Amino acid sequence: MSHKDPEHSLLTLFRHTELSCGDILAVRYSGYLGNWNKLFCSNGNSKYPRLMKLGKDITLWGLEIGLLSMTKGEAALFVLTPEYAYGQRGCPPSIPPNTTVLFKVEVLDFIDSEECDTFFELTCEQRDRLPLEKVLKVAATEREFGNYFFYKQCFKIAKDRYKRALSILGRSSSSKAEQSQINASKLLLFLNLSLTYLKLERADRALKYGELALEMDQGNAKALFRCGQACLYMREYSKSRDFLARAQCIQPFNRDINNELKKLARTVAAVRLLAHGDLSITYKIWEKGQEHCITSRD
């Protein structure tokens, strides 16, 4: 239940093992001139490189051909002659005319977005006629995009991708089995959105999506935990204690839940002391619970 991830400890962004045209990928690269001794471009310092789409965002023909031969996690070295790189004119001032360039490339992750792209080109009527399996796959892909941007700490973009995924799942189901599949996908998105809104310091929205998750699974410890965090942020201490205590009953040894209960106890103690005017003691307690308490004062 760490704040570091949206309900998963590892990102799983790929649907197949080999890249194909139209895939969205995260790639780390460095471009060199000469004998690997003159760097002219690199994104190697970026923890989460910008997502790029094969067939659209990769401008060097040779580099795209090379990437299409790779798989997730693979690293490669490419030597690109001018006709596969910057051509006869080069790219002044960095790339002289008729220059062979060298690229060191690593494919970090990729998402097969072809079905997703096709889905959003359809009309609403056409989407409604698609098999549920395809709809769930598109929603899962959108959620994966959200996960990527969450890890990149682009929380507003992540929130928008999660909501886009949720909008796909609004169709009516023809059976209990189908509704169960839809609800399972919605539950993950509600949990993602609750955590993302906490990151955006929108506790009211975090509580809303946490409670929506609880409507589907009233014993979900993560949903209870998120609701408890949101209520603590909003200074609704009794509600926070109720949510967190229920979460602790389900997962009594969960460190995050237990730490949040301790933070709540420190906060409540500080509020009571403040009400009795003992400011010196209050300050020390506020300082110990600084992460929540300082941001919660008027």
Side-chain angles (χ1 to χ4, degrees):
M1 293 185 186
S2 169
H3 277 279
K4 295 180 181 179
D5 61 77
E7 316 312 331
H8 282 288
S9 58
L10 294 174
L11 262 177
T12 306
L13 294 179
F14 59 95
R15 297 200 176 282
H16 47 233
T17 57
E18 294 181 353
L19 292 167
S20 60
C21 193
D23 282 349
I24 306 290
L25 70 154
V27 60
R28 183 168 288 129
Y29 64 85
S30 297
Y32 299 85
L33 300 176
N35 190 24
W36 301 99
N37 55 17
K38 187 176 180 181
L39 180 70
F40 69 87
C41 70
S42 177
N43 69 347
N45 293 326
S46 175
K47 186 176 181 180
Y48 298 106
R50 180 176 66 89
L51 293 176
M52 296 183 289
K53 185 170 185 174
L54 283 171
K56 181 180 179 182
D57 297 325
I58 312 295
T59 56
L60 297 186
W61 185 28
L63 188 56
E64 180 150 322
I65 292 172
L67 285 167
L68 286 168
S69 71
M70 297 180 70
T71 61
K72 178 183 180 288
E74 184 178 358
L77 305 176
F78 296 116
V79 179
L80 307 182
T81 55
E83 61 268 29
Y84 289 96
Y86 295 95
Q88 294 181 353
R89 295 185 179 182
C91 187
S94 301
I95 313 295
N98 285 315
T99 299
T100 294
V101 295
L102 314 168
F103 271 90
K104 183 185 297 182
V105 177
E106 180 184 5
V107 176
L108 304 176
D109 276 303
F110 67 93
I111 305 172
D112 175 9
S113 64
E114 183 178 359
E115 285 190 72
C116 205
D117 294 340
T118 302
F119 179 87
F120 287 106
E121 292 173 358
L122 301 175
T123 65
C124 292
E125 291 181 356
Q126 289 172 323
R127 294 178 191 179
D128 289 340
R129 290 198 295 267
L130 287 175
L132 178 61
E133 182 182 356
K134 287 188 177 295
V135 175
L136 293 175
K137 189 174 181 181
V138 171
T141 300
E142 284 297 314
R143 179 171 172 267
E144 288 163 1
F145 276 117
N147 288 352
Y148 178 85
F149 287 111
F150 184 96
Y151 274 88
K152 203 175 177 182
Q153 299 187 13
C154 298
F155 300 122
K156 288 184 179 180
I157 301 175
K159 177 255 298 179
D160 291 341
R161 298 311 288 249
Y162 292 142
K163 284 192 170 182
R164 193 183 194 202
L166 202 55
S167 71
I168 296 168
L169 299 173
R171 65 187 283 170
S172 58
S173 58
S174 59
S175 66
K176 286 186 178 181
E178 280 197 355
Q179 190 60 53
S180 177
Q181 289 180 281
I182 292 171
N183 288 347
S185 295
K186 282 184 173 181
L187 177 61
L188 293 175
L189 289 163
F190 289 152
L191 292 170
N192 289 150
L193 280 163
S194 183
L195 178 56
T196 304
Y197 273 115
L198 283 171
K199 290 291 189 179
L200 291 169
E201 298 184 354
R202 290 288 308 279
D204 57 330
R205 306 295 290 175
L207 178 61
K208 171 192 170 181
Y209 284 104
E211 289 179 330
L212 285 172
L214 289 173
E215 287 179 13
M216 293 187 169
D217 180 5
Q218 59 182 326
N220 190 289
K222 288 179 180 177
L224 291 165
F225 178 61
R226 301 293 176 227
C227 289
Q229 287 179 297
C231 289
L232 178 54
Y233 189 93
M234 294 189 293
R235 307 183 194 181
E236 296 182 13
Y237 304 127
S238 180
K239 287 180 67 176
S240 177
R241 185 184 294 108
D242 178 63
F243 282 123
L244 292 172
R246 287 163 62 191
Q248 188 184 51
C249 285
I250 297 167
Q251 294 186 7
F253 302 109
N254 185 288
R255 182 182 300 177
D256 292 324
I257 295 171
N258 291 331
N259 286 342
E260 200 73 8
L261 279 164
K262 291 176 185 177
K263 184 194 292 186
L264 172 63
R266 290 196 300 266
T267 303
V268 171
V271 169
R272 288 174 178 169
L273 288 169
L274 186 61
H276 288 85
D278 195 342
L279 298 179
S280 61
I281 298 176
T282 301
Y283 173 76
K284 292 178 182 178
I285 297 177
W286 281 102
E287 186 177 43
K288 188 175 181 181
Q290 184 176 14
E291 180 182 349
H292 169 71
C293 300
I294 288 179
T295 58
S296 296
R297 285 185 293 182
D298 291 332

